[in-house]
Amino acid sequence: MNLENIPNHVAIILDGNGRWATNRGLNRSEGHKAGLDRLKNLSDYIIKRGVKILSVFAFSTENFKRDKKEVDYLMHLFAGGLKDSIKFFSNKNIKVIISGRRINLPKNVIKTIDVLQEKTENNTAGILNICLNYGGKAEIVDTARKIAYLVQNKELTVDEIDEELFSKNLYNDLPPVDLMIRTGGELRISNFMIYECAYAEFYFTNTYFPDFDELEFEKALDSFNERNRKFGGLK
Ligand code: FPP
């Protein structure tokens, strides 16, 4: 009997692209390019493995503080690299959605993400949620504002606000994260999906993201399967 438990929603903090490149004598941009290639194949594998939603942290609201050259390259990757990936995700039947603030993103990036979402919206194998110009605190603040406007417009009463309604009004109406993975050796959440991770299991690995392959993901799954999830109760 197969007792394997597959998490419904997996989130990954894609860390270590820069160090992966530096260790090979390459520039950091090449690490990000390798990260995109890894992300494509890995998302296909993870969804084929039965995970319904994969959320990835591609660019935080704080990442704008990085060197301009690196930010420019990442924006170039989000506009061009993602555009070139539309066919890939369509062939794999993966629906791509984007979470984050559109403000501050260059026009060509906005165009690409709009097309990517539109072209993949009817795909049914699973969802890849790419978090771009994303911050967990920013998401909570934006959601509070959205709800406040609904109350102001009398579409909602204050008493109707509960955890379920709040969750439905986050950037995307997604189920909670079951397994949060961080590559690259740091042991922190870095403002990623802090509302959605309330009861997530955490898995940290020293492996840099471009090296985080199918075998590495299986190790994370094995670890998830060893956990006893109690959700605050007794078990
Ligand atoms: C963290 O590595 C990674 C990022 C800030 C960018 C993540 C982007 C990708 C994986 C590119 C592909 C994604 C999409 C959606 C096109 P780091 O630069 O912090 O690495 P370091 O900690 O080794 O310096």
Side-chain angles (χ1 to χ4, degrees):
M1 193 167 48
N2 183 6
L3 290 173
E4 190 185 42
N5 192 8
I6 300 289
N8 185 49
H9 187 173
V10 172
I12 309 182
I13 299 178
L14 315 169
D15 201 8
N17 292 346
R19 282 165 287 166
W20 179 91
T22 308
N23 284 352
R24 283 168 174 71
L26 305 170
N27 62 46
R28 293 176 58 84
S29 300
E30 288 172 275
H32 294 315
K33 169 78 179 64
L36 174 60
D37 293 340
R38 171 62 66 202
L39 176 64
K40 282 161 69 177
N41 293 317
L42 190 67
S43 58
D44 179 39
Y45 179 76
I46 289 177
I47 284 169
K48 283 204 177 106
R49 208 58 183 75
V51 171
K52 291 290 167 228
I53 300 134
L54 172 65
S55 292
V56 295
F57 206 2
F59 195 85
S60 73
T61 44
E62 293 77 25
N63 284 154
F64 275 112
K65 291 185 212 147
R66 289 190 179 199
D67 188 65
K68 184 178 180 311
K69 236 172 99 187
E70 183 168 352
V71 172
D72 286 350
Y73 180 78
L74 280 166
M75 291 303 146
H76 159 79
L77 202 60
F78 300 144
L82 276 182
K83 192 170 170 202
D84 294 340
S85 310
I86 294 176
K87 220 185 205 153
F88 177 88
F89 290 118
S90 297
N91 288 340
K92 301 292 181 187
N93 195 21
I94 295 172
K95 175 174 174 169
V96 183
I97 59 175
I98 309 291
S99 296
R101 286 183 173 164
R102 289 164 75 91
I103 188 160
N104 292 338
L105 289 176
K107 276 204 185 85
N108 59 349
V109 173
I110 291 184
K111 177 133 193 278
T112 292
I113 61 182
D114 283 347
V115 175
L116 183 59
Q117 291 186 100
E118 192 194 309
K119 296 261 186 214
T120 62
E121 71 182 343
N122 295 320
N123 292 349
T124 55
I127 295 175
L128 172 63
N129 174 33
I130 300 178
C131 298
L132 211 61
N133 195 18
Y134 173 90
K137 286 187 181 181
E139 179 174 32
I140 292 170
V141 168
D142 290 351
T143 303
R145 276 200 193 146
K146 193 164 137 191
I147 292 173
Y149 279 121
L150 292 173
V151 172
Q152 193 179 46
N153 294 337
K154 304 212 175 341
E155 292 171 51
L156 203 65
T157 66
V158 169
D159 289 340
E160 283 175 294
I161 303 171
D162 60 12
E163 290 175 18
E164 200 189 330
L165 180 123
F166 199 91
S167 172
K168 280 194 181 317
N169 281 283
L170 292 168
Y171 289 142
N172 283 289
D173 178 12
L174 297 173
V177 171
D178 301 295
L179 172 63
M180 164 67 79
I181 298 171
R182 181 172 188 144
T183 62
E186 308 288 354
L187 305 178
R188 55 176 172 263
I189 190 168
S190 297
N191 199 18
F192 188 41
M193 301 193 98
I194 50 181
Y195 192 93
E196 297 86 337
C197 276
Y199 277 103
E201 296 293 330
F202 284 77
Y203 178 82
F204 295 100
T205 171
N206 289 330
T207 304
Y208 297 142
F209 183 67
D211 288 331
F212 190 80
D213 59 11
E214 300 175 359
L215 216 71
E216 293 288 331
F217 179 69
E218 288 300 326
K219 286 189 212 165
L221 264 191
D222 287 346
S223 172
F224 179 76
N225 270 281
E226 284 163 12
R227 317 284 176 92
N228 176 18
R229 302 187 78 195
K230 295 193 286 205
F231 299 97
L234 291 171
K235 226 193 252 173

